[in-house]
Amino acid sequence: MTVSSSNNSLSYTSDATARTAQTETGGNDTAQSNTNTSTNSTNTNSSTSSTASTSSTDSTGFPGDTPITKEEEDNSGLSSEAFMRLFLEQLKNQDPTAPMDTQEILTQTAQLTQVEAQTQMKKAMEQMTSAMESMQKTNEKTIEAQQKLIETQEKMLETMGTLAGSIQDSSIIGGYNTIGMIGNIAETPYVALNVDKNEAIKFSLYFDEPIDPTKGQPKITILDKDNKVVREIDLAAKDENGKYIYEGKEGYVELEWDTRDNKGNYVDKGDYVIKAEYNLDSNTNQYKQTQLGRGEVESILFDAGVPYVKLGDYLTVPIIYVTSYYKKD
């Protein structure tokens, strides 16, 4: 047993001490030496019995005395904890007269450090491998999601193309259905002129009935993007002979704006809304009104299968942009 071996070593040391003492003091101490030897032997037996009893009831004590349980065993090799226990057990049971060399102790300690370093490296490599596998799975899922997104976009484009074709087809059908609208009134959202440079711009406004300059104060109003009046054109103006310039005119009336405001200054670039009021009704005190982008449908034109509405000489728009149709009064 391990404990017995340890105690025998201790007994040997005590006996060797007694022999040395006898040599130094002479024969008179022989009896005392024998007595000490006997006593040590008795103590040894008692210590052995006591230690064996203690070992059977208490597993604590010297670190090397704790057995390695199966749960602590490393199937891949000797663990660092088991290595340390064996190392301590070796130190405990070494021959006192020939202790282990210091270099050998350092060598074994270095080996233990190397084993622990290799274990840590192994764990790090396993973690790195796991992380790389996880990253690979993530990348695969990302590629799969991107592929699905591309497929979805392709389906959306296909659907939009089909829808655009349907819109064009319905526009064509609508064009054929609205051929009967020629001669009626159409309104569009094109109610403004765009001023890109300061030069005269020609346009036309549609008047539902002949202009009577004597009814109220008929005029054309030009407004900027802030709905502020920048220019007014008098529809009751007279020529050099004293005749009304616009009297009796109806339908599309061609007009011109020199892109100046009421003070004679050129206006800034931008869009300008054009409206007109004329023929004041004395009973309702209301003017007849018209605006740019409104007028009688003169014809339906087709370009690449798409129908267009012609409103006077200065405006032709796709039929899908016409907001309303109604018969002339």
Side-chain angles (χ1 to χ4, degrees):
M1 298 293 291
T2 302
V3 175
S4 299
S5 174
S6 176
N7 289 327
N8 287 338
S9 296
L10 292 173
S11 178
Y12 175 82
T13 303
S14 178
D15 184 54
T17 303
R19 291 176 183 275
T20 303
Q22 180 181 1
T23 304
E24 292 177 353
T25 57
N28 293 333
D29 294 333
T30 301
Q32 183 177 355
S33 176
N34 292 335
T35 302
N36 290 339
T37 302
S38 175
T39 302
N40 289 335
S41 179
T42 303
N43 290 339
T44 301
N45 294 334
S46 176
S47 176
T48 302
S49 176
S50 175
T51 303
S53 175
T54 302
S55 299
S56 63
T57 59
D58 188 3
S59 62
T60 61
F62 200 85
D65 293 335
T66 305
I68 302 174
T69 61
K70 292 183 178 180
E71 291 76 12
E72 296 174 343
E73 292 180 354
D74 187 356
N75 294 330
S76 62
L78 191 63
S79 67
S80 59
E81 184 178 356
F83 185 89
M84 180 59 75
R85 288 178 179 175
L86 291 175
F87 181 66
L88 292 175
E89 187 69 21
Q90 182 180 6
L91 290 176
K92 184 180 71 173
N93 294 319
Q94 68 178 334
D95 187 353
T97 61
M100 186 182 297
D101 185 61
T102 303
Q103 184 62 37
E104 185 177 354
I105 295 175
L106 293 175
T107 299
Q108 294 192 16
T109 305
Q111 291 175 350
L112 175 61
T113 303
Q114 291 177 358
V115 170
E116 291 183 349
Q118 291 175 354
T119 302
Q120 294 296 329
M121 185 178 296
K122 178 182 178 182
K123 291 181 179 179
M125 292 295 292
E126 290 175 351
Q127 292 175 354
M128 185 181 298
T129 302
S130 177
M132 292 179 66
E133 291 177 351
S134 177
M135 185 180 298
Q136 183 178 1
K137 292 180 180 179
T138 302
N139 291 337
E140 290 176 353
K141 291 181 179 180
T142 302
I143 294 173
E144 183 179 355
Q146 290 177 346
Q147 185 64 33
K148 289 183 178 179
L149 179 60
I150 292 173
E151 293 176 357
T152 303
Q153 290 176 342
E154 290 177 349
K155 290 181 179 179
M156 288 178 62
L157 291 174
E158 182 179 354
T159 303
M160 291 176 66
T162 303
L163 181 60
S166 299
I167 292 174
Q168 183 172 346
D169 291 342
S170 53
S171 297
I172 294 173
I173 294 173
Y176 284 114
N177 292 336
T178 55
I179 289 179
M181 293 300 295
I182 295 176
N184 292 328
I185 304 300
E187 293 187 1
T188 72
Y190 297 97
V191 297
L193 287 178
N194 179 261
V195 176
D196 184 54
K197 53 185 177 180
N198 295 122
E199 61 182 17
I201 301 176
K202 291 184 178 182
F203 63 96
S204 63
L205 289 178
Y206 183 82
F207 293 88
D208 296 274
E209 57 187 48
I211 299 173
D212 186 350
T214 63
K215 293 182 178 180
Q217 297 178 342
K219 60 183 177 181
I220 296 172
T221 304
I222 302 176
L223 305 97
D224 63 12
K225 60 182 178 61
D226 298 321
N227 207 33
K228 294 181 180 180
V229 177
V230 296
R231 180 71 180 272
E232 289 181 342
I233 300 176
D234 187 8
L235 291 177
K238 298 179 180 180
D239 60 17
E240 56 186 13
N241 297 320
K243 293 183 178 181
Y244 291 110
I245 299 174
Y246 301 104
E247 184 178 14
K249 292 186 176 182
E250 64 178 326
Y252 287 105
V253 177
E254 185 174 318
L255 301 160
E256 185 176 281
W257 176 36
D258 59 4
T259 66
R260 294 179 184 270
D261 59 18
N262 287 330
K263 296 180 180 180
N265 300 318
Y266 283 114
V267 298
D268 296 330
K269 293 181 179 181
D271 294 332
Y272 292 85
V273 175
I274 298 181
K275 298 180 179 180
E277 56 184 19
Y278 63 103
N279 296 1
L280 178 66
D281 188 335
S282 59
N283 295 323
T284 62
N285 201 32
Q286 297 289 325
Y287 282 99
K288 293 282 292 185
Q289 294 185 348
T290 189
Q291 64 182 11
L292 194 68
R294 170 191 177 276
E296 181 181 349
V297 178
E298 293 186 335
S299 62
I300 303 294
L301 307 176
F302 289 88
D303 184 11
V306 178
Y308 288 79
V309 176
K310 185 176 183 296
L311 303 176
D313 294 332
Y314 298 98
L315 183 61
T316 302
V317 299
I319 197 170
I320 59 174
Y321 292 126
V322 175
T323 56
S324 63
Y325 287 103
Y326 50 90
K327 293 182 179 297
K328 289 196 303 184
D329 294 338

